[in-house]
Amino acid sequence: MSALRYAYGTNGLADLRLSDALPLLADLGYDGVGLTLDHMHLDPLAPDLARRTAEVAHALDRYGLTATVETGGRYVLDPRRKHGPSLLDPDADARAVRTGLLLKAVRVAADLGAHAVHCFSGTLPPGTAEHDAWPRLVDGVGAVLTACEAAGVPLAVEPEPGHLVGDLAGFHRLRAALGDPPLLGLTLDIGHCQCLEPSPPDACVRSAAPWLHHVQIEDMRRGVHEHLPFGEGEIDFPPVLEALRAAHYGGLVTVELPRDSHAGPERARTSIDFLRAAERAVPTGAAPTGAASTGAVPTGAVPTKGDGTAC
């Protein structure tokens, strides 16, 4: 099987200029970058966004990198509300602001030749019931998918602990509500699987394989939503990487350490060394593992930091 293609998320390189981050990642041997649209790198609100995007496209080509366009900038739309507004906001104008960001992301992704656009649902606004939030989410994602279809860019929805779409079951509910459109796929965060899914991460990969458009990876502990450098959590990585290879996943596997920018270059170096070593540790022809998960989070439980504060 071919080797996996690794990327590093720019939300973990916030102290670097993008013009410095891209050659760094290329020099370390990464295949791509998880490019979060935010003020410090590619600002989606910049009046000259098209020009800046063209410059980034040129740099990606120069360094031989592929991109996933990510939309999880904490305060990119509202300086007072983390990840606000969302597609769940009671105010239609506020929801339109988030939809506008996602539509820009689709255009940027098309111009960069990115392999997917990432998004998530958002948390339930205060006083909002789930039965009111779901139609808003379906309408918003549906509008973005229309743009994705026109641009030929897949949309990869990430289940985020504490969000309306918080797990794989939530993703499948959204997929069914939209009629299973072909360009709607999944961003599978391996740490989130360890955090709260009933199955172990390698089993999550196998069950989610038909919908994988993007993969994020980091270490994590059961029941605690905290993105950790590799080796500081509980995940057994060789079975996860073997499952991705067995699924013939050809997209990017993006290291997601959003709180480690203070040590970004070193984290990028040690992360790819760890992942390559873990991939080499997979026995040739290894059979998929199916070990039962331990320490299962009870149905309906919210893990520590499950409001998304770790991201």
Side-chain angles (χ1 to χ4, degrees):
M1 300 179 196
S2 60
L4 296 170
R5 301 170 63 228
Y6 296 112
Y8 200 90
T10 59
N11 60 2
L13 296 171
D15 295 328
L16 273 69
R17 300 177 185 88
L18 190 60
S19 59
D20 292 328
L22 296 181
L24 168 74
L25 297 180
D27 287 347
L28 290 173
Y30 282 94
D31 299 288
V33 58
L35 178 58
T36 296
L37 300 184
D38 211 339
H39 67 91
M40 76 288 286
H41 290 137
L42 187 56
D43 186 350
L45 304 186
D48 58 345
L49 178 60
R51 180 189 62 79
R52 296 187 187 196
T53 301
E55 291 177 352
V56 174
H58 178 74
L60 291 172
D61 183 65
R62 176 182 178 185
Y63 296 114
L65 297 171
T66 303
T68 297
V69 174
E70 305 204 15
T71 60
R74 294 185 182 98
Y75 297 99
V76 66
L77 296 179
D78 188 330
R80 293 175 176 83
R81 282 196 299 162
K82 182 180 176 183
H83 295 152
S86 77
L87 295 176
L88 311 181
D89 202 293
D91 181 72
D93 290 338
R95 294 198 301 274
V97 171
R98 174 61 60 173
T99 303
L101 172 67
L102 296 176
L103 295 176
K104 284 186 178 182
V106 172
R107 292 195 294 272
V108 168
D111 290 342
L112 296 181
H115 82 84
V117 170
H118 153 279
C119 72
F120 45 55
S121 66
T123 59
L124 276 176
T128 298
E130 283 196 18
H131 68 264
D132 292 322
W134 271 102
R136 298 172 191 164
L137 179 63
V138 171
D139 288 347
V141 173
V144 178
L145 279 170
T146 298
C148 287
E149 290 162 1
V153 176
L155 183 66
V157 176
E158 179 187 8
E160 183 78 25
H163 285 214
L164 181 64
V165 176
D167 54 18
L168 288 172
F171 165 74
H172 289 301
R173 177 175 175 178
L174 176 63
R175 181 175 62 85
L178 287 162
D180 199 16
L183 284 182
L184 176 64
L186 175 69
T187 291
L188 184 69
D189 189 302
I190 301 302
H192 295 172
C193 296
Q194 176 69 19
C195 179
L196 54 66
E197 293 289 348
S199 300
D202 58 305
C204 291
V205 170
R206 290 193 294 276
S207 67
W211 300 279
L212 284 184
H213 284 347
H214 185 215
V215 172
Q216 294 175 343
I217 196 165
E218 69 284 316
D219 218 339
M220 204 168 285
R221 300 187 184 99
R222 190 70 179 162
V224 183
H225 183 203
E226 183 179 4
H227 292 233
L228 299 172
F230 297 107
E232 296 186 14
E234 301 169 343
I235 298 176
D236 183 14
F237 284 96
V240 173
L241 303 181
E242 195 280 329
L244 287 169
R245 288 170 56 180
H248 302 288
Y249 173 68
L252 294 176
V253 180
T254 303
V255 178
E256 184 79 358
L257 293 173
R259 291 183 176 265
D260 282 60
S261 287
H262 66 284
E266 179 64 9
R267 290 283 190 266
R269 183 188 67 79
T270 57
S271 293
I272 196 166
D273 288 348
F274 180 95
L275 290 167
R276 291 297 188 202
E279 199 172 351
R280 289 193 298 270
V282 176
T284 303
T289 59
S293 176
T294 59
V297 176
T299 301
V302 177
T304 303
K305 297 188 180 179
D307 60 354
T309 57
C311 296

